[in-house]
Amino acid sequence: TFEDLQRLFAHPIWSGCKGTARRNLPGTAVIKDGLYWVPLVLARTGARLEEIAGLRTLEAVTDHLIPHLQIRPNENRRLKNDQSARDVPLHPDLLALGFLDHIKAMRRKGEANLFPDLTPNSQTVGASFGGKLDFPFRSATTKALDEDRFRDGKAKTIHSFRHYVIGVLQTRKDIPHRVADDIVGHESSGEGSKRYGDDADLAQKADAIRLLPSIIHRPRQQTPNRPGRATCRPRCRPLISGAGAKGE
């Protein structure tokens, strides 16, 4: 649910932690690595874990009027089916949090993978892109959601982001089913198999994705200090939505 997103992204991984080895403890360090970015991208696109964790740097398009991700089969992972090959626009939340800066930084470093820290250990049989997120994400979910991490007897997982996005897109009457299906890589009902390149217009998908409620906390403007009080500089905490946002 939207409330789950609010609680989860208030966790120190996204709101500030003690450091690389102490991601569960509140602090001032915001470490924008794969653990930080991939759950955010999943929550704003509805993509599958390996689709995002295994992205190549060149598959993140920043020189287009609509910045987007090109989800294609690559050296890191295959896709589930033909419908999974698609272009997905970036939600404004990702842009506001500096995702384009991350992409550019990976390019400057010459990194082939967009999230190099998630590259599986070549010595581990069956390891996949995104596997390194399993334990820290489960720890964050347990800490943030406590007993609410279970629904109908089943634990909420990183795949729950996909269910949430699909639910929002499919229940909105102002989003055509074909557009919603193409955002998440589903075959459109009654239209037969989607041919490669025969996807919804990128602008239509961008309009639809913008309808996902924002999960960014926008800080209030700084107010003048009263005498004797320490100065507190406002900063954009990674997340939690402003008042009035609702899960749709």
Side-chain angles (χ1 to χ4, degrees), residues 169-184:
L169 297 178
Q170 289 183 342
T171 55
R172 290 202 62 121
K173 296 180 180 179
D174 49 351
I175 299 178
H177 288 302
R178 179 169 174 265
V179 174
D181 287 340
D182 198 59
I183 288 173
V184 298

Side-chain angles (χ1 to χ4, degrees), residues 227-247:
R229 295 202 173 184
T231 300
C232 181
R233 182 177 299 174
R235 58 181 179 145
C236 186
R237 293 300 271 178
L239 302 168
I240 300 318
S241 170
K246 298 179 179 180

